[in-house]
Amino acid sequence: MFRRLRTDDLTTTIFFDGRPLRCRPGDSVAAALLAAGIERFRTTPVSGTDRMPHCMIGNCFDCLVEIDGQADQQACLVPVREGSQVRSQLGTGRFDAA
Amino acid sequence: MTDAPRTHCELAIVGGGPAGLAAAALAAELGVETILFDEQPTPGGQIYRNIEANSRKHDALSNILGADYAKGLALVERFRRSGAAYEPLSAVWQVSAAGKLGVSRKGRAYLTRAGRVILATGAMERPVPIPGWTLPGVMGAGAAQTLMKASGLVPEEPTVIAGSGPLAYLVALQLMKAGAPLSAVIDTSQKGLFETGFAALPVLSGFGRDLLKGLSWMAALRKARIPVFSGRNLAVEGISRVEAVSFETRGKRQRLSASLLLLHEGVVPNNQITASLRCRHVWDTAQMAWRPWTDEWGATSTELVAVAGDGAGISGARAAAHRGRLAALDAACRIGRISRAERDERALPERRHLQREARFRAFLDSTYCPTEAVRRLADEAIACRCEEVTAGELRAFVAEGFTDINQLKSFSRCGMGQCQGRMCGGTVARVLAQSLETDMETVGYYRLRPPVKPLPVAQLAELGNAERDLRPSPLGVDGDPSQRV
């Protein structure tokens, strides 16, 4: 759905549901996922429908994903970190860290 | 940024947009020990998002974002030089009336005690609750702009922008410059910039440049042969994602295919913290939004807390910097760094700029009514995205006698999801007001409680610097003298 204006600085790698994605240091996790064509960030706890980010500034909470085992992370507010394991959040998500 | 959390400061500022940056810079220059907390990784807020990195590169993006965006760099540079402390990637989850801030950063929560607080939490796009707006592929126009500024991302599939207000046209222009496949703009404002612009000419003297800028954006769209429809009663079509948007134009229903639909009906103050503080709020009929009541310095009804910038009522980025400086001057005066006379003297040029900006804002408010966001919602439209409650379900609750907004919240679950009512508060209040045939002031707003940003219970349990008497009370109740530290 989105393309990058520049592709010469994609030096960071994160993983989404196990799949490696190259991204730019400074990208938010949400931007990295959208640039990779990912639309289903999470499914809702109520009806199980797919959601992708709506506001991109921390208000809508539709970009919630699991990052390195922690559920409920706002992908639009978390910068990418080399090697991060990001998973789509299904329903209420899992809390591996607990 | 240091790793040991700072437990005290004279002035805490929340938000790193133009108001927060200008306030922090001036306060620090006047010798006030200042910390600016911001959720973003770099200063600039949403309007000047990523301005430092984007100014260093002179590439396609700088040209797309334009000269008004580039002006933000001066604010950031002055802030960087000022000596104000800066805590990026920090979520402020509580502000108490006694000046305690709950902050979460790098997975740790801690408390900071401030002598005074300036909230510069800015604005958010007004939610546009049309049928189908939760489908993947539907975003705010501002969200698309954020992706452009922050990461250089532009849409690559057929995109439709639908809405009202200057930002809708600015984003259209920027996407066009970026070579995005923009298929159409649906203008929902129901008034032409020409008509209201000419009618308002007497008050607009001195704003020729701004007016021309708006008109030039529309001319650029025409030149690129991008159709501009006047439309209302929008609905999103699609099963698992957006496929098309339909709307009424000249009495007929029209349908446009779209892979990405960008909605925009103006912006509203981000009031989450002032609402949780129970500051006095005012319903702004021109802007159709709540804003905290403030005096001429931005001070709220809560003694230690001021609000600056769009969070105190929408007036735009230029005005936000001036409002930030006024709040900083007042803070410096209260803290004892400058006299009242010096405060008043230094405020004069800021006030002159603000008076000028106010005239243009009044014109924008009257031109761009957020038609789609304030009309009667279709029964099937989702009001609360988190709990997936439709307008029809809300009306059924109201018909059963749930006529208080907080009662409605408890029974419908609207406003009880992850976003804590940010996306549905205005909509639920409006559905209620329309059903009861009353006004927004009578309906009021959700009773918000801290934490105003969700954080894991584990972080609260391990508050980084918690001395016992620094801990917030379990109910988050404030103003109790026994809690003073």
Side-chain angles (χ1 to χ4, degrees), chain A residues 1-6 24 27 31 39 44 46-47 51-59 61-62 72 74, chain B residues 46 57 59 124 134 137-138 140 143 150-157 178 241 385 388 418-419 422 453:
Chain A
M1 197 182 325
F2 291 91
R3 70 180 172 88
R4 290 181 184 274
L5 287 170
R6 297 174 71 136
R24 202 197 54 150
D27 277 346
E39 290 189 10
T44 61
V46 179
S47 70
R51 288 284 171 88
M52 74 168 226
H54 184 76
C55 83
M56 284 304 295
I57 62 169
N59 289 315
F61 290 73
D62 268 321
D72 287 338
Q74 289 182 276
Chain B
Q46 298 308 329
K57 294 177 280 202
D59 57 10
M124 58 179 269
T134 55
V138 183
S151 292
L153 294 193
V154 295
E156 61 173 351
E157 289 169 44
R241 72 177 317 287
R385 298 172 66 95
E388 298 176 77
Q418 294 274 14
C419 90
R422 287 170 170 83
K453 288 288 291 194

Side-chain angles (χ1 to χ4, degrees), chain B residues 72 83 136 177 197 336:
Chain B
K177 279 187 180 173

Side-chain angles (χ1 to χ4, degrees), chain B residues 120-162:
Chain B
T121 48
M124 58 179 269
E125 288 188 281
R126 185 192 303 269
V128 190
I130 57 174
W133 72 307
T134 55
L135 286 171
V138 183
M139 301 180 94
Q145 199 193 36
T146 293
L147 283 166
M148 215 170 359
K149 291 173 183 171
S151 292
L153 294 193
V154 295
E156 61 173 351
E157 289 169 44
T159 301
V160 172
I161 297 183

Side-chain angles (χ1 to χ4, degrees), chain B residues 104-459:
Chain B
S104 172
R105 181 163 63 87
K106 292 184 176 174
R108 281 180 74 201
Y110 64 95
L111 298 168
T112 291
R113 181 65 194 253
R116 188 158 185 78
V117 181
I118 298 175
L119 301 173
T121 48
M124 58 179 269
E125 288 188 281
R126 185 192 303 269
V128 190
I130 57 174
W133 72 307
T134 55
L135 286 171
V138 183
M139 301 180 94
Q145 199 193 36
T146 293
L147 283 166
M148 215 170 359
K149 291 173 183 171
S151 292
L153 294 193
V154 295
E156 61 173 351
E157 289 169 44
T159 301
V160 172
I161 297 183
S164 168
L167 186 67
Y169 280 99
L170 175 60
V171 172
L173 183 80
Q174 290 174 333
L175 294 188
M176 215 173 64
K177 279 187 180 173
L182 179 63
S183 14
V185 173
I186 305 169
D187 189 326
T188 60
S189 58
Q190 313 298 330
K191 279 189 197 173
L193 184 56
F194 275 113
E195 303 146 44
T196 44
F198 284 118
L201 272 182
V203 287
L204 287 175
S205 60
F207 289 96
R209 203 185 136 261
D210 292 293
L211 207 54
L212 280 174
K213 200 162 58 185
L215 294 172
S216 76
W217 297 345
M218 293 181 190
L221 289 173
R222 258 198 304 277
K223 197 173 162 207
R225 293 171 191 268
I226 291 168
V228 178
F229 299 91
S230 173
R232 58 168 70 197
N233 291 334
L234 268 56
V236 186
E237 297 178 13
I239 308 287
S240 59
R241 72 177 317 287
V242 53
E243 287 159 22
V245 54
S246 71
F247 56 99
E248 258 169 45
T249 185
R250 293 181 188 155
K252 284 188 309 193
R253 198 125 193 114
Q254 184 147 350
R255 184 180 184 278
L256 293 173
S257 296
S259 287
L260 182 65
L261 172 63
L262 303 177
L263 301 173
H264 182 78
E265 296 276 318
V267 297
V268 293
N270 178 357
N271 280 343
Q272 211 75 1
I273 295 176
T274 50
S276 77
L277 274 164
R278 312 275 193 276
C279 292
R280 186 180 144 209
H281 286 70
V282 180
W283 175 255
D284 188 319
T285 24
Q287 300 195 339
M288 295 191 206
W290 286 102
R291 60 178 162 81
W293 172 89
T294 58
D295 73 6
E296 57 179 344
W297 303 97
T300 69
S301 59
T302 299
E303 199 191 332
L304 300 183
V305 179
V307 186
D310 277 356
I314 304 304
S315 60
R318 284 189 305 217
H322 300 298
R323 293 162 97 189
R325 286 186 202 111
L326 288 179
L329 288 171
D330 192 42
C333 177
R334 287 170 189 251
I335 291 165
R337 293 296 180 285
I338 57 173
S339 66
R340 282 178 90 97
E342 185 179 356
R343 175 194 70 171
D344 296 352
E345 176 71 26
R346 280 173 174 266
L348 290 174
E350 312 295 343
R351 293 203 193 287
R352 268 198 299 277
H353 285 292
L354 279 177
Q355 276 163 9
R356 199 184 115 83
E357 294 295 332
R359 281 189 291 142
F360 193 59
R361 183 53 44 179
F363 158 70
L364 289 178
D365 289 343
S366 72
T367 306
Y368 297 111
C369 171
T371 319
E372 287 301 294
V374 300
R375 72 175 160 89
R376 189 179 194 278
L377 263 69
D379 270 338
E380 72 271 25
I382 287 182
C384 169
R385 298 172 66 95
C386 297
E387 297 292 330
E388 298 176 77
V389 182
T390 63
E393 288 169 313
L394 277 174
R395 290 183 185 121
F397 276 111
V398 178
E400 280 177 49
F402 298 98
T403 54
D404 172 87
I405 189 164
N406 287 297
Q407 195 184 29
L408 197 56
K409 172 179 163 185
S410 304
F411 283 86
S412 70
R413 292 202 54 82
C414 279
M416 295 179 77
Q418 294 274 14
C419 90
Q420 300 176 288
R422 287 170 170 83
M423 298 299 285
C424 70
T427 306
V428 172
R430 196 172 326 103
V431 169
L432 189 53
Q434 287 166 350
S435 297
L436 300 176
E437 293 177 8
T438 184
D439 52 30
M440 296 294 272
E441 289 101 321
T442 308
V443 164
Y445 197 71
Y446 291 150
R447 201 176 297 121
L448 301 182
R449 294 184 183 84
V452 291
K453 288 288 291 194
L455 77 165
V457 176
Q459 282 191 28

Side-chain angles (χ1 to χ4, degrees), chain A:
Chain A
M1 197 182 325
F2 291 91
R3 70 180 172 88
R4 290 181 184 274
L5 287 170
R6 297 174 71 136
T7 51
D8 57 347
D9 49 1
L10 307 181
T11 54
T12 299
T13 303
I14 64 167
F15 296 85
F16 182 70
D17 289 342
R19 166 186 157 204
L21 309 177
R22 297 191 59 199
C23 43
R24 202 197 54 150
D27 277 346
S28 62
V29 169
L33 266 50
L34 288 170
I38 289 152
E39 290 189 10
R40 190 186 78 166
F41 278 53
R42 67 175 187 119
T43 60
T44 61
V46 179
S47 70
T49 52
D50 294 355
R51 288 284 171 88
M52 74 168 226
H54 184 76
C55 83
M56 284 304 295
I57 62 169
N59 289 315
C60 76
F61 290 73
D62 268 321
C63 64
L64 293 180
V65 290
E66 299 175 14
I67 302 177
D68 296 326
Q70 182 82 49
D72 287 338
Q73 301 297 296
Q74 289 182 276
C76 75
L77 293 180
V78 179
V80 292
R81 225 177 45 198
E82 181 62 33
S84 263
Q85 294 285 344
V86 181
R87 305 196 71 85
S88 46
Q89 178 160 319
L90 307 180
T92 50
R94 302 162 308 162
F95 289 84
D96 296 356

